[in-house]
Amino acid sequence: MAAVPGPLPPAEAEALVRALQGSELRDIGGQGWLRQHEYVEKLNMHGILSASVGQEQLLTELLVTHAKIPVLIGELISVEIWKHKIFPVLCRLEDFKPRSTFPIYVVLHHEASIINLLETVFFYKEICESAEDSILDLIDYCHRKLTLLLLENGELQKQAEMMEFEISLKALSVLRFITDQVDSLPLSAVTRMLNTHNLPCLLVELVEHCPWSCWEAGKLKKFENGTWHVIPPEDQVKMTKLDGQVWLALLNLLLSPECQHKYRFDGFNKSQLLKLRAFLTDVLIDQLPNLVEMQRFLSYLAVTEPAPPRKDLILEQVPVIRDHILKKNSGKWEAIAKHQVKHAFSPTEEELKLQARRWAQTYSLDMMEALAPDKPRCRVCGVEAAKRCSRCRNEWYCTRACQVQHWQKHKPACNLMAEVSRSVDDL
C-alpha cells in the first residue's frame, strides 16, 4: 500500500512561497499563471496536511517572512474580478471553442484554493498583521461573499456543489479570524467592519437565515465538510462549526471595548442586534459558554441608550487593490477575453498533454484521499469501504460482493477512466 502523503519538506515549501507573485488580469490562464496556480495548490494542500498534524507554524512563518499575504489577497481579488468581468464575455465569443474546459475550471478553482489557504493560516495573529493595508481589501471581499450567502432566491444553498457557496463559507471563517484581532487591527479596518459594512447586522442575518442549514422532505440537512448531511433528531440542536464562526465573530465585534466605542447603536442597529436574544437558548450557551457575556450585553442594551460613537479625527485608509484592477482594465474586458481565447484557452494538443501531466502530478488520487475529511464509502451500500477498483482506482466497495453487483453499471465509466489513465501515462 502506498504511503499516505505528508506535508512538503521545509526547503520545498519555502521555494514555493518565494515563487509566489502577482499577475496581470490579462495573463490569467496563461502558462506563467498556471505555474502560479500549481504553487498555490501545492501550498494549499501542504497547509491542510500540516494543520492536521499541528505543523502549520512553518508555513505561517514563511508567508510572513516573505511578505506573501498581500500577494495572495491581490490574486484572490484578481480572479474574482476575472470571474465576473471576463468569464461572461469569454463565453459569448463565437471563437471560444475550447478542446477541454478543464483550463477554465482551473481558473475558477483558483479563488477557492487561495481562500482555503488563507483560512488555514489566518488563525495566527502575525498573518493578520502581515496583511498590512491589504486587510481592508480582504474585509471588503469577505463582506461581498457573506452578502451572497443571503441572496433571497437561495440559489447558493440549493446548489451546494457550486464553488461560490463553499468559497463564501471559507470567507466567513477568514472574517471570524480577522475579528479575533480587533484590538491590533488598523483603525480603518475596524471602522470598515463596523460602520462601512455594518458586519454585526449582517452576521445577525446569517444567524436568522442560516444558509448552511435547510429542511428537505421533512428532514434537517446541514452543510459540513464540503457536503450536505441529514441530521438525526437528537443532533439537531448541536452547533456546527459555521454556527460557531458567526457567534464568535459577533462576540468579537460587540464585546470589544474598542468596537463598542466605534459602533453606531442607533435604533435600527439596536433592534437588529436584539433579535439575537431569541437564539440564545440554554442549549446553545451550554455549547459556547462565552455567549453568557453576549446575553448580558443584550439585556443591558435593551434597557439603555448607548453613548454615540466616539468621533476621532483620523485619516481613514481605503482599500485599493480592487479599485486599481478595475480602473486599469476598464473598457478592456472584451479585448482581454479575446486575448485569452487565443493565448490561454486554445492550447494545442501537445500543450494540453503536457499540462495534463502536470495536473496529474498536482492532483494525485493519493493526495486527494489524504485531504478528504471523510473515509471512502461503498458505492453500493454506503458503509465504510476499504477495497478499491484496481483498474480505474475511482470507486470504493466494502466487499467483493458489492463490487460484482455494481460492475455492469460501473463498467463504462471504468473503461473510460482506465483509458484516460493510460493516455496520461503515455505522455
Side-chain angles (χ1 to χ4, degrees):
M1 181 179 291
V4 177
L8 296 170
E12 185 175 350
E14 181 171 10
L16 290 173
V17 170
R18 282 178 174 272
L20 291 175
Q21 61 185 32
S23 55
E24 295 291 332
L25 203 64
R26 178 185 175 91
D27 297 330
I28 288 179
Q31 290 302 310
W33 184 92
L34 286 171
R35 282 194 294 273
Q36 288 295 313
H37 171 74
E38 289 175 20
Y39 302 156
V40 169
E41 194 61 65
K42 287 178 180 178
L43 287 171
N44 179 34
M45 293 186 284
H46 169 71
I48 295 171
L49 292 173
S50 296
S52 69
V53 292
Q55 297 177 1
E56 68 273 29
Q57 187 66 38
L58 173 61
L59 177 59
T60 299
E61 292 173 359
L62 290 173
L63 291 170
V64 171
T65 301
H66 298 293
K68 295 301 183 179
I69 292 299
V71 173
L72 288 171
I73 293 173
E75 285 298 284
L76 180 71
I77 293 170
S78 181
V79 79
E80 180 199 24
I81 291 173
W82 182 91
K83 185 168 63 178
H84 293 293
K85 295 290 188 179
I86 306 295
F87 184 51
V89 177
L90 198 68
C91 293
R92 292 196 299 267
L93 295 178
E94 291 184 2
D95 54 346
F96 180 55
K97 299 174 182 177
R99 290 186 179 89
S100 169
T101 57
F102 196 71
I104 292 288
Y105 172 80
V106 168
V107 178
L108 295 173
H109 181 67
H110 192 60
E111 183 182 6
S113 298
I114 295 176
I115 194 65
N116 199 80
L117 176 57
L118 292 178
E119 182 194 26
T120 301
V121 300
F122 250 84
F123 174 79
Y124 293 94
K125 180 179 180 179
E126 54 265 38
I127 286 286
C128 198
E129 292 175 344
S130 74
E132 299 182 337
D133 294 347
S134 67
I135 195 72
L136 299 173
D137 287 275
L138 184 57
I139 288 170
D140 279 17
Y141 172 87
C142 292
H143 174 259
R144 290 192 294 273
K145 296 303 176 184
L146 297 196
T147 302
L148 278 179
L149 285 176
L150 293 169
L151 288 176
E152 291 184 3
N153 62 12
E155 194 64 24
L156 292 179
Q157 299 92 293
K158 295 175 185 174
Q159 301 184 35
E161 72 275 12
M162 288 180 62
M163 207 179 298
E164 194 67 56
F165 181 70
E166 293 195 58
I167 289 172
S168 298
L169 297 181
K170 297 291 183 184
L172 170 60
S173 295
V174 171
L175 182 68
R176 176 247 143 158
F177 292 138
I178 293 174
T179 66
D180 283 347
Q181 312 302 334
V182 287
D183 293 333
S184 59
L185 288 174
L187 290 175
S188 296
V190 177
T191 300
R192 200 151 193 89
M193 288 193 292
L194 294 176
N195 298 324
T196 305
H197 296 313
N198 199 353
L199 287 180
C201 283
L202 183 60
L203 292 168
V204 170
E205 289 190 71
L206 287 174
V207 171
E208 285 188 290
H209 299 290
C210 197
W212 44 87
S213 176
C214 69
W215 286 90
E216 188 176 290
K219 295 181 178 179
L220 178 65
K221 300 178 75 176
K222 293 187 179 183
F223 191 84
E224 292 185 278
N225 295 325
T227 187
W228 288 97
H229 300 274
V230 175
I231 307 299
E234 64 271 17
D235 292 336
Q236 290 180 1
V237 294
K238 285 186 178 179
M239 180 186 292
T240 66
K241 177 184 175 182
L242 292 165
D243 296 323
Q245 300 287 35
V246 176
W247 283 110
L248 289 170
L250 281 165
L251 281 167
N252 291 332
L253 292 175
L254 294 178
L255 300 189
S256 161
E258 181 66 25
C259 292
Q260 289 182 359
H261 285 311
K262 289 186 172 297
Y263 190 57
R264 290 190 295 265
F265 288 97
D266 55 28
F268 173 78
N269 288 349
K270 182 176 175 179
S271 66
Q272 290 297 105
L273 294 176
L274 290 178
K275 291 180 180 179
L276 293 173
R277 291 191 297 178
F279 297 92
L280 289 170
T281 63
D282 291 342
V283 174
L284 186 71
I285 293 173
D286 284 343
Q287 296 174 75
L288 189 58
N290 288 357
L291 290 177
V292 169
E293 296 299 319
M294 173 74 76
Q295 197 173 48
R296 290 173 185 162
F297 169 74
L298 293 175
S299 297
Y300 174 79
L301 183 65
V303 298
T304 60
E305 290 296 329
R310 187 175 61 205
K311 294 184 178 179
D312 296 322
L313 184 61
I314 60 171
L315 294 175
E316 184 177 345
Q317 295 173 286
V318 294
V320 297
I321 296 175
R322 188 169 186 269
D323 285 347
H324 173 73
I325 296 173
L326 290 173
K327 288 177 182 177
K328 184 176 182 178
N329 297 282
S330 179
K332 302 176 184 177
W333 311 122
E334 185 170 350
I336 293 173
K338 289 180 177 179
H339 170 81
Q340 292 179 343
V341 165
K342 184 177 180 181
H343 297 284
F345 301 123
S346 299
T348 64
E349 186 173 345
E350 287 303 313
E351 289 172 336
L352 203 55
K353 286 181 178 180
L354 180 62
Q355 192 59 52
R357 177 183 289 172
R358 297 178 69 100
W359 285 327
Q361 293 170 349
T362 302
Y363 303 105
S364 69
L365 284 175
D366 290 336
M367 178 64 77
M368 294 299 103
E369 285 161 18
L371 297 173
D374 300 315
K375 292 184 178 179
R377 297 280 172 177
C378 177
R379 186 66 174 81
V380 177
C381 63
V383 304
E384 193 172 303
K387 299 181 182 295
R388 186 181 193 179
C389 178
S390 59
R391 189 160 177 257
C392 72
R393 293 175 56 81
N394 198 49
E395 294 286 10
W396 290 84
Y397 303 97
C398 61
T399 62
R400 172 71 176 166
C402 280
Q403 184 176 12
V404 171
Q405 180 183 339
H406 189 242
W407 173 242
Q408 289 305 316
K409 290 183 179 180
H410 175 53
K411 184 177 179 179
C414 187
N415 290 337
L416 181 61
M417 290 293 294
E419 181 63 32
V420 169
S421 297
R422 282 196 299 272
S423 299
V424 171
D425 291 340
D426 292 341
L427 293 178

